[in-house]
Amino acid sequence: MSAHTLTYSHGLLVPLTRSCGAHCTYCTFKVEQDPLLSFDRIDELIRANYDSGICEVVLCAGQALDSVPTVKSQWVERGYSTFFDYVRDICQLVLENRLFPTLDAGPMLYAQLAELAPYLAALTLSLETVNPDFARTVQTNKSIDARLETLSDAGLLEVPVNTGVLIGAGETMNDRTATLDTLAELHAKHGHIQSVTFQCVFRESGESRMSAGPEDIHALLTYARKIMPGVKRTMSVTSSCRWIESLVSEVDDIGVVFEGFDGIDWSKPYPKITEIERLVGRKDAALRPRFPRTLEMFARFGIRDPLVPIFEEWTKKKEFGYYQR
């Protein structure tokens, strides 16, 4: 029997648009003037991957889209006042396919999140850093204050959050710990942060811009456990920080196991669950599937009406029955 269990959610990434109004020097997601996906195309993607066993559809997009006129004109032409009005209807499309919608599309206003909250199993919004000097030079047009406000609003609205801290984009260890401290303060107020991803910046060479060895990662994981007990410490199996070799017992979760691509490395598909099982199994670890809303967040906040029939249907599956105990 394995000594350690890592949780994961099996999902599909749907990039609603890869356009973005921000300019991050480490970004591999952004495509200039990328159009909004149509409802038919989104439905086609979901149906093509449904039989793979996905339970989650990650709706993602670039940030600050109001500053991208060609994209803004597309949602206006479709009759939407804002991008997030369009997202709300896409969430309903995901629910019609008996899957859980989650969102990773940057900060938004309180009213926009309040409108989306009933339809979201979780919100992903990485804080990344709280160093304003770093943000000005590496993350142009990306507001730390806007991210903090949305993270706080999610707590007020009882929306579980997956967030993260950057490793390898030029930040310092002090930047990383200060970012974790800020997240811990938010979580202490609302209890809504379900996972913190240690987000190693992807490089085609497989290396981070700034060296982050096992000792650095160990220190961050230990610190996160101390200040945010119960919050899952997440690292992707595709991370350029090679944590599986020496730190697998320190990590709680591997995030979303994507069917297809993960939005970071577009050169090859994400590893299959069976491949990941073999990979972590060599380090005496096992995998356990979870919903995009973790058991802890489900126990704390429950779910709202639009999600109830999806939850009831999925908990009939043996591997998710533990949510009902």
Side-chain angles (χ1 to χ4, degrees):
M1 183 174 180
S2 299
H4 183 56
T5 299
L6 299 163
T7 55
Y8 72 94
S9 175
H10 187 190
L12 171 71
L13 186 81
V14 175
L16 300 176
T17 174
R18 290 176 64 184
S19 293
C20 185
H23 305 280
C24 300
T25 60
Y26 52 86
C27 181
T28 60
F29 177 80
K30 181 176 179 178
V31 173
E32 297 288 352
Q33 309 300 325
D34 192 49
L36 282 179
L37 288 185
S38 68
F39 276 62
D40 286 346
R41 178 56 180 156
I42 295 167
D43 192 51
E44 179 184 320
L45 287 170
I46 292 170
R47 290 178 182 274
N49 288 277
Y50 188 86
D51 289 340
S52 67
I54 56 171
C55 70
E56 172 179 2
V57 176
V58 182
L59 303 172
C60 70
Q63 302 188 19
L65 290 175
D66 281 333
S67 66
V68 185
T70 55
V71 178
K72 184 175 182 178
S73 65
Q74 291 174 56
W75 73 66
V76 170
E77 287 170 3
R78 299 179 194 186
Y80 295 107
S81 299
T82 72
F83 172 71
F84 293 104
D85 290 334
Y86 157 80
V87 171
R88 180 199 58 227
D89 283 0
I90 301 300
C91 286
Q92 292 175 331
L93 173 62
V94 173
L95 291 170
E96 288 170 7
N97 280 279
R98 319 308 291 172
L99 299 169
F100 293 101
T102 64
L103 179 63
D104 183 358
M108 66 193 82
L109 300 176
Y110 178 91
Q112 293 169 338
L113 183 54
E115 184 74 17
L116 288 173
Y119 306 99
L120 293 176
L123 176 72
T124 295
L125 179 59
S126 184
L127 180 54
E128 299 183 336
T129 185
V130 291
N131 182 337
D133 293 329
F134 172 87
R136 274 193 294 272
T137 56
V138 179
Q139 301 176 312
T140 310
N141 203 27
K142 212 171 185 181
S143 168
I144 294 172
D145 288 342
R147 278 175 278 168
L148 285 171
E149 187 171 353
T150 299
L151 288 169
S152 180
D153 289 345
L156 293 171
L157 292 163
E158 299 186 346
V159 177
V161 166
N162 304 304
T163 187
V165 56
L166 275 178
I167 299 173
E171 75 298 323
T172 67
M173 182 61 85
N174 285 340
D175 292 337
R176 299 167 193 156
T177 55
T179 304
L180 288 172
D181 286 339
T182 301
L183 292 171
E185 290 174 11
L186 284 167
H187 186 60
K189 289 180 183 177
H190 305 296
H192 67 306
I193 295 177
Q194 62 179 15
S195 72
V196 175
T197 297
F198 294 82
Q199 189 178 329
C200 296
V201 173
F202 175 78
R203 303 284 286 172
E204 289 186 1
S205 64
E207 301 297 330
S208 295
R209 293 184 180 203
M210 177 176 284
S211 176
E215 298 83 4
D216 296 321
I217 306 298
H218 173 75
L220 288 168
L221 291 168
T222 301
Y223 188 62
R225 175 189 282 170
K226 177 182 177 181
I227 64 174
M228 287 182 281
V231 173
K232 288 186 180 294
R233 298 165 302 162
T234 298
M235 292 194 76
S236 168
V237 294
T238 61
S239 172
S240 57
C241 300
R242 290 175 171 79
W243 58 273
I244 293 176
E245 291 303 313
S246 57
L247 296 169
V248 69
S249 63
E250 300 290 321
V251 175
D252 307 304
D253 183 78
I254 59 172
V256 182
V257 172
F258 289 97
E259 197 65 33
F261 296 90
D262 66 355
I264 298 172
D265 182 358
W266 297 92
S267 66
K268 58 184 180 298
Y270 205 84
K272 296 293 185 182
I273 293 171
T274 52
E275 296 176 55
I276 300 170
E277 285 176 329
R278 287 194 294 269
L279 183 66
V280 302
R282 290 198 289 267
K283 295 299 175 180
D284 199 27
L287 298 182
R288 186 187 201 186
R290 61 168 174 82
F291 293 139
R293 181 167 300 198
T294 65
L295 180 63
E296 295 79 6
M297 287 296 116
F298 176 75
R300 182 174 181 83
F301 296 132
I303 51 175
R304 302 188 192 184
D305 286 345
L307 295 171
V308 168
I310 314 302
F311 174 81
E312 290 178 344
E313 184 173 320
W314 275 89
T315 50
K316 292 176 183 176
K317 299 177 185 289
K318 181 180 178 181
E319 61 268 37
F320 296 108
Y322 68 95
Y323 269 78
Q324 293 184 325
R325 294 174 196 150

